[in-house]
């Protein structure tokens, strides 16, 4: 019987599960993704809900239930990713005591002055949407005294399977303030009165525990199925690409533009919106811009994007110079919450307008990679594309001209695939 490894991705609009097999019978690294074959995949969209924990819990078990029982009985390990900085406050039994705060919830802006006073200058946590800012905001609410655990979305979903409270991974915990270089919480964070709520942090893919016997029986999973520490959705998408060589990068062309460059050097530059995730002995350096697919879809339907893109003269650089944003503010490569959108002049010809938008987004991408390299990363050698925009051949040609390196589409783009590779590696705790 072949062992299977299940990765579950909780994104912004739904969740997906992918199970992989390892026909060679050996543990693989991301560069060996060709050995890991997809045996089954399924997904469920989210609907609006006033009770997000219940929605997430139901979705998790519905995804597992959609896997044929014959395959469920072969699942050796499970890992889960969630959206970065989506967090929960839980009581001693793991029940949320308030509605979760989502990745884009910016109520932490009201405590940013306190965040700046506590954290080092230009630290990653100095953001209205960071996990730390949310925890600090929560600490001022009347029910905070009932909290016993502060968990990320992926942590809590894994808890539903293994029933062990208080564990996280160093990808999710970066924006909580965890020091991924020294592998510990910094002194400034440990000195705070709510230090006892912080999760124990382990490497992504580390085995937390075997599945709860009750969950195993109810879900028809094997009793020795291992539940591993997870990661964030964007890191999972990177892992799916199979990149393992410093200098290679992944650009995610989704609603926003996310750059991640694999480097031997860690870069932390909050003033530019740049931070580094640990990836084994290497660093995943990057940032996220508010430009991207959401701007394109504001002006064009998917059908129009496909048809108009085919008519763009990609060998000619557009003279239109935009900074495509839907509202003021960007995070990277310009970290300015008041940066104004630049979408004028707008030509009457839609092909010319779309050409200008795609060219301008590519310039922002190129500026981002130049900035990363100027701060000390490895030299960019190749870019893999993920996300919906990776299908646009005209955009790829424009980006290749702007970046000056090879641009290829990732063979695997699903975050659930990358998370399944974590489960496949199954590091001992």
């Amino acid at each position: 019987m072949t062992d299977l490894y299940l990765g579950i991705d909780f994104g912004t609009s739904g969740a997906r599960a992918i199970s992989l097999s390892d026909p060679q019978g050996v543990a693989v690294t991301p560069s060996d993704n060709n050995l890991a074959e997809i045996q089954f995949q399924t997904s469920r969209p989210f609907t609006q809900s006033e009770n997000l924990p219940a929605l997430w819990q139901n979705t998790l078990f519905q995804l597992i239930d959609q896997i044929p029982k014959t395959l469920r009985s072969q699942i050796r390990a499970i890992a889960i990713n969630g959206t970065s900085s989506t967090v929960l406050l839980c009581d001693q039994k793991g029940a949320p005591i308030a509605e979760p705060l989502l990745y884009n919830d910016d109520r932490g802006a009201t405590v940013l002055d306190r965040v700046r006073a506590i954290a080092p200058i230009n630290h990653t946590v100095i953001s209205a949407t960071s996990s730390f800012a949310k925890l600090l905001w929560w600490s001022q609410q009347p029910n905070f005294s009932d909290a016993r655990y502060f968990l990320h979305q992926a942590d809590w979903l894994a808890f539903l399977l293994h029933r062990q409270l208080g564990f996280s991974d160093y990808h999710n915990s970066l924006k909580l303030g965890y020091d991924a270089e020294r592998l510990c919480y910094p002194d400034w964070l440990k000195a705070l009165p709510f230090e006892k709520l912080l999760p124990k942090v382990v490497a992504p893919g580390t085995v937390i525990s075997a599945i709860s016997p009750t969950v195993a029986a109810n879900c028809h999973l094997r009793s020795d199925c291992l539940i591993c520490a997870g990661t964030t959705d964007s890191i999972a998408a990177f892992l799916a690409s199979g990149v393992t060589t410093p200098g290679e990068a992944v650009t995610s062309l989704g609603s926003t533009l996310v750059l991640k460059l694999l480097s031997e050097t860690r870069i932390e530059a909050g003033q530019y919106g740049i931070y580094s995730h640990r990836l084994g002995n290497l660093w995943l350096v990057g940032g996220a811009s508010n430009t991207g697919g959401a701007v394109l879809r504001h002006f064009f339907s998917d059908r129009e994007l496909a048809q108009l893109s085919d008519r763009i003269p990609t060998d000619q650089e557009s003279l239109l110079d935009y900074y495509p944003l839907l509202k003021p503010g960007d995070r990277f490569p310009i970290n300015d919450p008041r940066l104004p959108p630049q979408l004028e002049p707008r030509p009457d010809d839609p092909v010319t307008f779309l050409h200008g938008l795609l060219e301008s987004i590519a310039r922002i991408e190129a500026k981002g990679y130049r900035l990363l390299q100027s701060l000390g990363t490895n030299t960019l050698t190749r870019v893999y594309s993920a996300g919906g925009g990776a299908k646009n051949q005209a955009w790829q040609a424009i980006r290749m001209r702007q970046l000056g390196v090879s641009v290829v589409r990732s063979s695997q783009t699903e975050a659930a695939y990358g998370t399944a590779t974590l489960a496949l590696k199954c590091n001992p705790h």
Side-chain angles (χ1 to χ4, degrees), residues 264-279:
E264 294 167 297
T265 305
R266 179 191 187 191
I267 306 295
E268 297 292 335
Q271 67 271 34
Y272 300 116
I274 295 170
Y275 53 90
S276 297
H277 278 286
R278 189 183 191 108
L279 206 62

Side-chain angles (χ1 to χ4, degrees), residues 149-151 155 159 162 164-168 197-201:
Y149 296 95
F150 179 83
L151 299 174
D155 310 337
F159 154 73
H162 57 55
Q164 306 294 316
L165 275 164
F167 286 92
S168 187
L197 302 183
L198 303 178
K200 179 180 179 181
V201 179

Side-chain angles (χ1 to χ4, degrees), residues 172-288:
N172 274 292
S173 298
L174 185 75
K175 294 180 183 178
L176 178 56
Y178 185 79
D179 187 333
E181 186 165 29
R182 297 173 57 223
L183 297 177
C184 64
Y185 285 112
D187 291 341
W188 60 263
L189 187 53
K190 291 190 292 185
L192 297 173
F194 43 69
E195 186 247 350
K196 63 182 182 299
L197 302 183
L198 303 178
K200 179 180 179 181
V201 179
V202 297
T206 298
V207 175
I208 301 299
S209 172
I211 195 169
S212 155
T214 301
V215 175
N218 291 341
C219 295
H220 302 280
L221 291 163
R222 50 198 278 182
S223 60
D224 63 347
C225 177
L226 303 174
I227 311 302
C228 306
T231 183
T232 67
D233 54 345
S234 62
I235 301 292
F238 183 93
L239 294 174
S241 73
V243 169
T244 58
T245 304
E248 293 187 326
V250 173
T251 295
S252 179
L253 302 167
S255 298
T256 58
L257 179 73
V258 182
L259 277 56
K260 295 189 183 300
L261 172 61
L262 195 60
S263 174
E264 294 167 297
T265 305
R266 179 191 187 191
I267 306 295
E268 297 292 335
Q271 67 271 34
Y272 300 116
I274 295 170
Y275 53 90
S276 297
H277 278 286
R278 189 183 191 108
L279 206 62
N281 295 321
L282 299 173
W283 296 95
L284 200 50
V285 186

